[in-house]
Amino acid sequence: MSEPVRFLLSDMDGTLLLPDHSLSQRTIDAVRSLREAGVLFSLATGRPPKAMLQTIEALGVDLPTAAFNGGTIVHPDGSFLVAHYLPATAALTTLALFADQPDVEVWVFSGGDWLVKDPNGPMVPREQHGLGYPPVVVESFEPYLLRIDKIVAASNNTELLIELEAQLLPKVDDQAQVSRSQPVYLDVTAMKANKGEALATLAAFLGVPLQQTAAMGDGGNDPAMFHVAGLSIAMGQAEEAVKRQADVVTGTNAEDGAAQAIERYILKR
């Protein structure tokens, strides 16, 4: 690709963030250098909007950002550029499939809240650390069916999540996106809530042609934007199936691979 990159859209967890969810100084400096070079920069993540605020502030992001894999694209003032909710029928199908699984914790994100039935699930502390706020305990997800941003099946049984992904896909075909954002999380969002749509929407909003965009990520929800971007960058620790869909592979997130990629593939161009 010979076109200069004018806009980089990056994943957060497993990409910009270290394994402990913090930002390294090298990454902060690399993003600052991008902006000084006139390259636009934003974030696309499976996280909810309020779980992005700390990173947005630390990196000085002043553009709309994509939460819930692109389900909501949020302006810096908190207003929405885009909001795509999961259709209630797809939500019911998903919840019914996940409900019978003993190894799976089911989380629903709605209206800014992280909803759980069991606050003592083994995966809850990890998510709470990553998000920076606790869940809201509910008896039923039914009252929220019309405004669900994302449903997550969380489990350390990664093989089971692969099976559930295969079972759910045909049931919600054309209604929902199903992808493992990390090996332990299976995300279900609206059909248009994917990072590819988010990249296209943001590029159009910013007036940047797609061939002058770059996308960087590590999870099963990132190839959607790899296929849209002019340049796609996979992290070193990504699964092979993710790496194969990227133009280039950088170091792992523990090695500041995102900063390496910015320095090598974007700033050097």
Side-chain angles (χ1 to χ4, degrees), residues 205-234:
F205 175 78
L206 297 168
V208 177
L210 285 173
Q211 64 269 27
Q212 294 183 347
T213 66
M216 181 162 61
D218 72 308
N221 54 347
D222 293 317
M225 63 177 174
F226 290 177
H227 299 309
V228 174
L231 171 69
S232 52
I233 303 159

Side-chain angles (χ1 to χ4, degrees), residues 216-266:
M216 181 162 61
D218 72 308
N221 54 347
D222 293 317
M225 63 177 174
F226 290 177
H227 299 309
V228 174
L231 171 69
S232 52
I233 303 159
M235 300 299 291
Q237 84 286 356
E239 291 179 5
E240 284 306 315
V242 172
K243 290 183 188 174
R244 279 199 298 272
Q245 298 178 75
D247 297 320
V248 294
V249 177
T250 184
T252 69
N253 64 322
E255 301 165 332
D256 285 333
Q260 290 176 31
I262 288 169
E263 294 157 9
R264 180 174 174 189
Y265 298 113
I266 300 176

Side-chain angles (χ1 to χ4, degrees), residues 48 50-51 68 105-138 141 144 149-152 154 185:
K50 72 180 178 187
F68 298 125
E105 293 171 53
V106 182
W107 302 335
V108 169
F109 290 86
S110 175
D113 287 323
W114 165 30
L115 309 173
V116 303
K117 288 185 183 175
D118 176 13
N120 302 312
M123 304 291 286
V124 166
R126 170 184 169 153
E127 182 74 354
Q128 183 165 332
H129 175 71
L131 293 179
Y133 56 89
V136 174
V137 183
V138 297
F141 296 129
Y144 304 93
D149 295 297
K150 181 172 74 161
I151 299 173
V152 179
Y185 298 141

